[in-house]
């Protein structure tokens, strides 16, 4: 497209969109724009996700994953130039299928866990990918890790223990007009014949109120917490496998990253969609969407914000490096947890605070150890080149 003799960048590729940001003539401005976009879009994604599960009729974590994976595949095709006509080799399809299954389990189990756990607990679990990554590295490849990485993994384990065992109940208020429960007042035989004697307290059963104005009573908010924890363990275990498979596909098979994103998300979306049909989740969700169409709209918006947030993250990786992007993502997760407690009523105790602080310390050590390892590699290369 030409406008006044000048070529206008198209929007088929998201990268071309970011090229237009170069009119700012400042890398600093582009980085600030990406950081703001990452915070806003991912926080919006998380708020919409938690809002969906706050609806008592919504228990469709796998369908939510299907919509998100389908959106990612469609955006990769529309905006990043991924082609459906160029079919990958048969060997690549095998790896795509395996990667798609792992990705579907990772995304689906993480979303389905929100039926049983609070959103901050899910965010904390998803921040602990280092633990299964190290376990796989030690058991499968025999890889060695530094002392800082082991300390970081230990702190993450402690934080998860604190958060899982933190109180997950809220206080239910019995308003005026609610009948008293036997657990509130001791059982008293209303037909008892109480006689008065000199010096006894006048005790008339008729004067005992059968209703009270307000009584705070703990009610378990997540009665099936163990199911959610099991699903989250499955999610972070699969998260540790996904990057290794992606790296192998990109390095060994020379597959363009846009095609890999499109095919894996498309196949994963098809797998989760079939699961929703077999489990009956799809039919139940259709009834909900028919009565409350805004729920479907928010799910699509949640998926779109997640995709745009991912693009902002990749811009930070390109402009500032992976370590800086991970630090910003970690800060974003802290903001998400804080906003989750502020916007949605849920119990918050000192154990929650301790668990979150220990987790952030573990994440900070993991980031520092990664940066330190890269510095040591650079020094070794410099010393070898000087020799």
């Amino acid at each position: 497209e030409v406008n006044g003799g000048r070529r206008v960048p198209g929007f088929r590729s998201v990268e071309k969109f970011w090229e237009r940001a170069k009119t700012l003539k400042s890398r600093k401005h582009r980085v600030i724009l990406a950081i703001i976009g990452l915070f806003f879009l991912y926080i919006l994604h998380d708020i919409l996700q938690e809002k969906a599960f706050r609806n008592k009729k919504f228990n469709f974590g796998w369908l939510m994953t299907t919509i998100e994976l389908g959106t990612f595949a469609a955006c990769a095709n529309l905006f990043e130039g991924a082609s459906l006509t160029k079919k990958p080799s048969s060997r690549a399809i095998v790896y795509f299928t395996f990667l798609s299954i792992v990705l579907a389990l990772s995304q689906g189990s993480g979303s389905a866990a929100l039926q049983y756990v609070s959103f901050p607990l899910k965010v904390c679990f998803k921040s602990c990918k280092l633990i299964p990554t190290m376990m796989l590295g030690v058991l499968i490849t025999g890889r060695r890790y530094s002392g800082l990485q082991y300390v970081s993994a230990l702190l993450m384990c402690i934080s998860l223990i604190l958060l899982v065992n933190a109180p997950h109940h809220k206080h239910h208020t019995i308003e005026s007009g609610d009948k008293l429960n036997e657990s509130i007042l001791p059982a008293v035989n209303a037909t008892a014949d109480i006689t008065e004697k000199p010096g006894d307290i006048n005790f008339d059963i008729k004067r005992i109120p059968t209703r009270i104005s307000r009584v705070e009573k703990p009610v378990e908010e997540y009665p099936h917490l163990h199911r959610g924890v099991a699903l989250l363990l499955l999610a972070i275990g699969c998260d540790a496998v996904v990057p290794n498979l992606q790296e192998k596909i990109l390095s060994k098979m020379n597959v363009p990253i846009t095609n890999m994103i499109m095919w894996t998300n498309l196949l994963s979306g098809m797998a989760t969609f079939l699961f929703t049909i077999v489990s009956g989740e799809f039919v139940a969700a259709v009834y909900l969407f028919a009565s409350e169409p805004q729920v479907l709209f928010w799910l699509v918006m949640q998926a779109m914000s997640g995709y745009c947030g991912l693009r902002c993250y990749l811009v930070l990786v390109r402009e500032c490096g992976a370590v800086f992007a991970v630090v910003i993502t970690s800060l974003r997760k802290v903001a998400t947890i804080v906003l989750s407690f502020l916007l949605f009523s849920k119990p918050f105790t000192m154990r929650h605070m301790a668990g979150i602080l220990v987790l952030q310390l573990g994440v900070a050590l993991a980031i520092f150890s990664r940066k330190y390892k890269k510095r040591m590699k650079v020094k070794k290369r410099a010393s070898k080149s000087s020799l």
Side-chain angles (χ1 to χ4, degrees):
E1 298 176 5
V2 178
N3 183 11
R6 298 190 331 183
R7 187 169 182 81
V8 179
F11 287 92
R12 183 164 182 79
S13 171
V14 176
E15 297 300 328
K16 289 183 180 180
F17 170 77
W18 285 106
E19 286 178 7
R20 296 190 63 166
K22 291 181 180 179
T23 56
L24 296 171
K25 297 181 180 180
S26 172
R27 173 176 171 271
K28 180 180 177 181
H29 290 169
R30 292 196 301 273
V31 170
I32 292 174
L33 182 63
I35 292 174
I36 294 173
L38 184 143
F39 266 80
F40 174 76
L41 292 166
Y42 267 127
I43 288 175
L44 176 63
H45 169 274
D46 294 342
I47 288 174
L48 291 175
Q49 193 174 61
E50 185 167 7
K51 181 179 176 61
F53 280 96
R54 286 280 164 170
N55 187 336
K56 294 181 179 180
K57 300 178 183 177
F58 188 89
N59 292 305
F60 312 121
W62 291 96
L63 185 62
M64 173 185 281
T65 302
T66 302
I67 294 173
E68 191 162 3
L69 291 170
T71 302
F72 274 52
C75 290
N77 178 255
L78 294 173
F79 303 126
E80 299 186 47
S83 177
L84 282 169
T85 57
K86 294 181 180 179
K87 293 184 179 180
S89 63
S90 57
R91 188 184 175 199
I93 289 177
V94 173
Y95 276 94
F96 281 169
T97 303
F98 186 53
L99 175 58
S100 299
I101 294 172
V102 177
L103 183 62
L105 288 173
S106 169
Q107 297 286 88
S109 57
S111 297
L114 288 174
Q115 298 174 219
Y116 311 107
V117 301
S118 65
F119 192 85
L121 185 59
K122 178 204 168 183
V123 174
C124 292
F125 260 89
K126 298 287 275 186
S127 300
C128 296
K129 298 176 186 177
L130 177 64
I131 298 173
T133 302
M134 289 179 65
M135 291 175 64
L136 288 173
V138 171
L139 296 175
I140 297 175
T141 63
R143 188 175 179 181
R144 294 183 179 181
Y145 296 94
S146 65
L148 280 177
Q149 288 174 312
Y150 281 111
V151 173
S152 174
L154 178 62
L155 290 174
M156 290 179 182
C157 290
I158 294 172
S159 71
L160 293 180
I161 292 171
L162 288 171
L163 290 168
V164 170
N165 289 283
H168 293 282
H169 62 265
K170 60 183 179 180
H171 283 83
H172 170 65
T173 303
I174 300 179
E175 300 291 347
S176 178
D178 292 341
K179 291 184 179 180
L180 288 178
N181 192 289
E182 291 182 358
S183 61
I184 302 173
L185 286 179
V188 180
N189 187 356
T191 60
D193 184 15
I194 302 175
T195 58
E196 292 188 40
K197 294 181 181 180
D200 287 349
I201 298 175
N202 187 4
F203 184 72
D204 188 356
I205 193 66
K206 295 180 181 179
R207 296 177 186 174
I208 299 177
T210 58
R211 301 169 184 267
I212 59 174
S213 57
R214 289 177 66 89
V215 171
E216 295 293 332
K217 175 183 171 183
V219 175
E220 188 66 28
E221 190 173 8
Y222 302 104
H224 303 292
L225 181 66
H226 60 284
R227 296 181 186 177
V229 171
L231 287 169
L232 289 174
L233 289 174
L234 175 61
I236 63 173
C238 293
D239 283 342
V241 177
V242 167
N244 294 318
L245 288 174
Q246 289 175 335
E247 183 179 357
K248 189 167 185 178
I249 291 172
L250 293 173
S251 60
K252 302 290 184 181
M253 302 179 188
N254 297 322
V255 177
I257 187 171
T258 54
N259 286 358
M260 184 191 70
I261 292 173
M262 184 194 67
W263 281 105
T264 53
N265 281 279
L266 180 62
L267 294 173
S268 298
M270 291 171 62
T272 53
F273 179 67
L274 289 174
F275 178 79
T276 58
I277 292 177
V278 173
S279 64
E281 187 173 307
F282 178 75
V283 176
V286 168
Y287 282 108
L288 176 63
F289 296 154
S291 60
E292 301 181 31
Q294 70 275 12
V295 175
L296 179 60
F297 172 75
W298 292 123
L299 289 180
V300 175
M301 288 297 296
Q302 177 243 356
M304 288 296 299
S305 60
Y307 173 78
C308 295
L310 175 63
R311 301 311 301 171
C312 292
Y313 171 79
L314 294 177
V315 169
L316 287 178
V317 172
R318 184 185 64 191
E319 296 286 347
C320 305
V323 174
F324 180 82
V326 170
V327 171
I328 297 299
T329 302
S330 300
L331 293 176
R332 190 274 306 170
K333 289 179 180 179
V334 174
T336 298
I337 292 172
V338 172
L339 284 174
S340 177
F341 279 106
L342 292 176
L343 297 178
F344 302 98
S345 61
K346 55 175 66 71
F348 184 79
T349 64
M350 290 302 296
R351 195 175 295 179
H352 288 94
M353 182 179 291
I356 293 171
L357 290 177
V358 172
L359 174 62
Q360 295 309 312
L361 180 59
V363 172
L365 279 178
I367 295 171
F368 176 77
S369 64
R370 183 186 301 181
K371 195 171 183 180
Y372 179 77
K373 191 175 181 179
K374 287 186 176 180
R375 284 181 180 177
M376 293 302 295
K377 284 184 178 180
V378 171
K379 286 183 179 179
K380 285 182 180 180
R381 289 175 184 174
S383 61
K384 287 180 180 179
S385 61
S386 63
L387 293 174

